[in-house]
Amino acid sequence: MTTTRTPEPPATAEEPPLKRAIGPRLLILFVIGDILGTGIYATTGKVAGKVGGALWLPFLIGFVVAILTAASYVELVGKYPKAAGAALYTQKAFKVPFLTFVVAFMVMCSGLSSASAAARAFSGDYLGEFTTAVPPTLVAILFILILAAINLRGVAESVKANVVLTIVEVTGLLVILSIGAYAVLAGDGQPSRLTEFEGSGTGFALMTGVLGATALGFFAFVGFEDSVNMAEETKDPVRTFPRAIFIGVAVTGTIYVLVALVSSLLVDHRTLEGSSGPLLEVVKAGGIDFPPKLFALIALFAVTNSALINIMMASRLCYGMANERILPPAMGRVLAKRRTPWVGIVFVSVLAIGLVTTGEIEGLGDTTAFLLLCVFAVVNISVLVLRKDRVDHHHFRTPTALPVLGAITALILASPIADRDADVYIRAGVLLLIGIGLWVVNKMVMTARGRT
């Protein structure tokens, strides 16, 4: 498709523009690295605890839901290649500042709860292969501080670190798939587990159990939406994003389903459920002499990658919201030399440290998925509303049926019939109340300055 190239965002008198440092191949690796990580390495066991041996099914359904919403994001980032993502699309579609802020705040909180889940995963069973001497909460806090320092250094450094970590985490998943292939050829494993569902429920009870497992498993697919916040740091984003997002979701979805099949084939779902490092259990049961410590090290790199990208994206979202006057202008301040949004990085890192102390991997992961499913419903509706808004360049256009199905499936997975624990709704509600409080304060400040 022929497109016009997106120009560099103009510099203002106050702040320099963000640097366009991300090319097509780097963006594909970025999307894959953003999706892979904590979800599959740490929450696979918790998903198995909800659904049983049919662990592959929630990941397959999650893959379909992710593709539906990814198509909407691709259309929107092609039309509006700017930072701020879902918040920008919501504002353009509905022009309701309060709704825009709520969506933006939910996206930011989802990134921070995801980073916090990754920090918790880092300090769990995988690190336990090496040491148990350091308190897990302290490890998680130090972990976030180190990632904040990497983000402050520069986007090129952060994205290059992402490439290295992505290669490492893909290697770990290929190890799992190799173990599975060996087990099948050797006649090991129990194929009968693949059709077993947790409990004896049927009908509606079975459906809610599968939906609950899918909602939690969807945490493994979040990340592709983060990449649109890098639009102002990507070379020719209108042309680059469609291919990068679709390839990224397809590759990760295929890997997830295969890893889920291998996990259920080799390990009982109750064993998987009891571990914060479930894939380590697969390695130990696989019949191949692969060093558990080496795999644990790979897994630590994988969850590090998830947290790195989520901290990066949340800070860019703050930058974008500041430019849209949804957050105070100070949130958009950029380091003149490094050209990174330093105030945003510091702000989201402090919030992530606070979240680390509020829950464990499952609760934080499910909170991430719930918040984003709500946002995805709004984004899918926004695509349809914005069809009337024409832009002066060609861009990808998704078939109308896809955003309709995307909105419906996201709302179903976010609803109470998805068998979600009440504490997830409570945590999300508290975060939303904090956001509303911030919106009121910002509105008062803007009004006092004579801005409406």
Side-chain angles (χ1 to χ4, degrees):
M1 182 182 294
T2 302
T3 62
T4 56
R5 290 190 175 273
T6 305
E8 290 276 350
T12 65
E14 295 81 15
E15 299 293 340
L18 298 180
K19 183 179 181 180
R20 291 197 184 277
I22 305 174
R25 294 179 182 176
L26 203 56
L27 185 62
I28 291 173
L29 285 172
F30 182 89
V31 174
I32 292 174
D34 203 355
I35 300 174
L36 291 178
T38 304
I40 193 67
Y41 275 91
T43 62
T44 300
K46 306 306 179 185
V47 175
K50 286 178 174 286
V51 75
L55 177 59
W56 57 271
L57 182 58
F59 287 104
L60 180 60
I61 298 172
F63 175 39
V64 174
V65 175
I67 283 289
L68 295 174
T69 301
S72 294
Y73 271 97
V74 168
E75 176 171 336
L76 290 170
V77 75
K79 289 181 75 171
Y80 315 108
K82 297 181 179 293
L88 174 66
Y89 313 144
T90 302
Q91 179 62 25
K92 286 186 174 294
F94 303 105
K95 296 180 172 58
V96 179
F98 178 71
L99 177 61
T100 301
F101 181 82
V102 168
V103 168
F105 193 78
M106 291 176 77
V107 172
M108 187 180 73
C109 288
S110 71
L112 297 179
S113 61
S114 178
S116 299
R120 280 293 186 184
F122 187 93
S123 63
D125 287 348
Y126 291 124
L127 184 62
E129 284 291 308
F130 300 96
T131 181
T132 57
V134 185
T137 301
L138 178 59
V139 170
I141 291 172
L142 292 174
F143 175 77
I144 290 174
L145 290 174
I146 292 171
L147 296 184
I150 294 174
N151 270 299
L152 284 169
R153 180 163 178 80
V155 66
E157 288 78 4
S158 297
V159 175
K160 288 174 183 176
N162 165 255
V163 171
V164 175
L165 294 174
T166 296
I167 293 172
V168 172
E169 66 190 3
V170 170
T171 300
L173 296 178
L174 291 178
V175 168
I176 296 295
L177 297 183
S178 299
I179 288 173
Y182 175 83
V184 170
L185 293 175
D188 296 332
Q190 297 186 28
S192 61
R193 289 196 189 114
L194 302 179
T195 56
E196 291 178 353
F197 289 89
E198 171 67 7
S200 57
T202 58
F204 184 75
L206 177 61
M207 181 188 72
T208 57
V210 172
L211 288 176
T214 301
L216 177 58
F218 195 74
F219 173 52
F221 286 96
V222 303
F224 66 85
E225 77 288 345
D226 283 341
S227 64
V228 302
N229 292 305
M230 303 300 290
E232 292 184 37
E233 295 169 274
T234 299
K235 301 173 184 176
D236 195 9
V238 175
R239 178 180 298 179
T240 302
F241 268 94
R243 184 166 175 261
I245 291 180
F246 284 132
I247 289 177
V249 174
V251 168
T252 53
T254 301
I255 291 174
Y256 283 173
V257 173
L258 292 175
V259 168
L261 285 168
V262 170
S263 299
S264 287
L265 184 69
L266 296 179
V267 184
D268 182 79
H269 73 273
R270 287 174 288 270
T271 301
L272 293 171
E273 182 184 12
S275 175
S276 62
L279 298 190
L280 190 59
E281 302 297 332
V282 178
V283 171
K284 293 178 179 178
I288 293 179
D289 189 19
F290 191 90
K293 287 186 181 297
L294 177 57
F295 186 83
L297 182 62
I298 292 172
L300 291 175
F301 279 120
V303 298
T304 297
N305 201 30
S306 295
L308 172 64
I309 295 178
N310 277 288
I311 294 292
M312 187 191 309
M313 290 309 99
S315 64
R316 268 60 182 185
L317 181 55
C318 284
Y319 168 85
M321 288 192 291
N323 286 344
E324 294 290 327
R325 294 185 178 180
I326 301 171
L327 284 177
M331 300 296 294
R333 290 180 179 172
V334 177
L335 284 175
K337 184 177 180 180
R338 292 294 177 182
R339 293 169 72 178
T340 52
W342 71 272
V343 175
I345 292 171
V346 171
F347 177 70
V348 300
S349 298
V350 170
L351 290 182
I353 289 172
L355 272 173
V356 160
T357 65
T358 68
E360 298 298 330
I361 297 171
E362 181 177 0
L364 290 168
D366 209 356
T367 301
T368 302
F370 169 71
L371 290 168
L372 280 180
L373 285 166
C374 293
V375 171
F376 287 174
V378 175
V379 168
N380 281 302
I381 295 171
S382 296
V383 171
L384 302 175
V385 174
L386 289 170
R387 287 283 167 83
K388 62 186 179 183
D389 185 25
R390 304 293 181 180
V391 295
D392 60 1
H393 61 268
H394 296 289
H395 61 85
F396 174 86
R397 180 184 171 99
T398 184
T400 301
L402 298 190
V404 172
L405 291 173
I408 293 171
T409 52
L411 288 171
I412 290 174
L413 290 177
S415 72
I417 67 172
D419 190 30
R420 183 176 286 106
D421 290 341
D423 68 319
V424 173
Y425 293 107
I426 293 172
R427 183 182 291 109
V430 170
L431 289 171
L432 185 57
L433 288 175
I434 293 172
I436 293 173
L438 289 174
W439 182 84
V440 170
V441 171
N442 187 58
K443 189 73 173 178
M444 292 172 62
V445 171
M446 296 293 282
T447 300
R449 293 180 178 180
R451 300 174 183 175
T452 58

